[in-house]
Amino acid sequence: MILKNLIGTAAFVALMFIVSAFVYKNKAKENHQNSSFKNNGFAVLELFTSEGCSSCPPADQLMGEIEKQYKDQPVYVLAYHVDYWNSLGWKDKFSSVENSKRQQQYSQILRSQVYTPQLIVNGKKEFVGSDRDAVESAIQTALFNSSNAKVDLSAKVSEKEINVNFKTVENNSQNKLLVTLVEKKASTNVQKGENEGRHLIHWQIVHQQNQISLKNSTEGTTSFKLPENFNINDWEIIGMIQNVKTGEILGSAKASF
């Protein structure tokens, strides 16, 4: 009977230890997230990708998971489809020369190579976009060590265009406000090239990005042509303030329609 009681007591203690560890872990995670908000931190993830790149789908998938995981936190994902892989047999319908130019600008500022999938966080750190550990680490570092410069955005939809009102107090002549029209999710059946036969899913696709100088005005309106079959639930506006000399992103926000 004594042995039975000892076994029962040991099992109870072990159970309580497991429960305590679980509560502590979740409490630590909660405190971790709350401290991020208190510090007013943020993370902007810019992925340079292509449907013509066989190593890009894992990075695209990871961005979708990150978007879902951090949906209630100031983490902003933008996927730029570059056009320099279009010559390999498949033209990426989401690609543009502007997206490729943006990556080349980062290459000069960060002294990095031009490759896909490349991820750049807050305009300061770059690495392979499918490296989950590096992505998670960079997000947490950004949330704890950045201070989000305030920018207010609001968007209105008319029959032909989307008008975005912006306002900020940042008036440094080296800073620009980048307002981006983003499609949250889309897919493609690739018929040629390195990803031939694959059904690719993309998240946070950059369709157009307007650059606004903050030298003379810190508030105003910018507009986008309304995409075909537009639905406000499938699109969003992301704005970010960037120092054009250093590449550092100083603040970011989403616009509500």
Side-chain angles (χ1 to χ4, degrees):
M1 180 64 72
I2 295 175
L3 178 60
K4 183 177 181 180
N5 289 336
L6 287 174
I7 294 174
T9 301
F12 177 77
V13 171
L15 177 62
M16 292 304 297
F17 178 80
I18 294 172
V19 171
S20 298
F22 177 79
V23 171
Y24 176 81
K25 181 179 179 181
N26 281 274
K27 187 66 177 178
K29 182 178 180 181
E30 179 182 348
N31 291 336
H32 183 80
Q33 293 176 344
N34 289 339
S35 62
S36 299
F37 284 109
K38 290 177 183 178
N39 190 52
N40 198 30
F42 72 101
V44 173
L45 280 61
E46 297 181 87
L47 175 70
F48 293 91
T49 184
S50 171
E51 290 184 342
C53 159
S54 60
S55 58
C56 285
D60 294 332
Q61 176 66 32
L62 179 56
M63 290 304 102
E65 295 173 6
I66 292 295
E67 178 69 15
K68 182 178 180 179
Q69 179 181 348
Y70 290 92
K71 65 178 181 178
D72 297 323
Q73 295 193 53
V75 176
Y76 309 95
V77 178
L78 300 98
Y80 300 83
H81 288 240
V82 297
D83 69 340
Y84 51 81
W85 293 132
N86 289 350
S87 60
L88 296 181
W90 178 256
K91 183 177 180 180
D92 186 337
K93 65 181 180 181
F94 301 112
S95 67
S96 71
V97 64
E98 289 79 14
N99 291 346
S100 299
K101 287 181 178 179
R102 180 161 179 78
Q103 186 182 25
Q104 290 165 2
Q105 290 170 351
Y106 270 131
S107 175
Q108 295 173 1
I109 294 173
L110 301 177
R111 297 181 180 179
S112 66
Q113 294 182 335
V114 174
Y115 64 93
T116 53
Q118 182 184 34
L119 187 70
I120 298 176
V121 180
N122 282 7
K124 299 187 295 184
K125 183 178 179 63
E126 70 87 21
F127 48 87
V128 177
S130 55
D131 187 338
R132 180 182 293 273
D133 291 340
V135 173
E136 292 282 3
S137 176
I139 291 174
Q140 295 305 323
T141 299
L143 289 175
F144 273 96
N145 296 292
S146 61
S147 182
N148 200 345
K150 186 174 177 58
V151 53
D152 294 320
L153 300 172
S154 63
K156 293 183 178 180
V157 181
S158 66
E159 292 184 2
K160 295 183 178 181
E161 62 183 9
I162 301 169
N163 293 309
V164 182
N165 295 322
F166 63 87
K167 184 177 182 180
T168 181
V169 296
E170 296 294 325
N171 59 359
N172 188 319
S173 61
Q174 292 185 345
N175 294 344
K176 283 188 176 182
L177 174 64
L178 281 62
V179 182
T180 310
L181 177 62
V182 176
E183 186 175 10
K184 295 180 181 180
K185 186 178 180 181
S187 62
T188 302
N189 291 315
V190 180
Q191 300 174 7
K192 295 180 181 180
E194 290 188 359
N195 289 312
E196 181 178 358
R198 300 185 65 176
H199 178 74
L200 301 183
I201 301 176
H202 310 296
W203 287 265
Q204 298 298 109
I205 308 157
V206 170
H207 278 258
Q208 187 177 341
Q209 188 172 78
N210 295 348
Q211 298 191 16
I212 304 159
S213 173
L214 298 175
K215 181 179 180 180
N216 299 319
S217 178
T218 57
E219 60 180 299
T221 303
T222 188
S223 61
F224 301 99
K225 181 180 178 182
L226 196 69
E228 293 183 7
N229 302 317
F230 178 81
N231 184 322
I232 61 173
N233 296 319
D234 299 331
W235 298 75
E236 65 184 10
I237 302 292
I238 296 178
M240 53 187 175
I241 299 173
Q242 184 170 37
N243 185 299
V244 295
K245 185 176 181 180
T246 66
E248 180 179 1
I249 295 174
L250 307 173
S252 189
K254 289 184 180 181
S256 57
F257 281 101

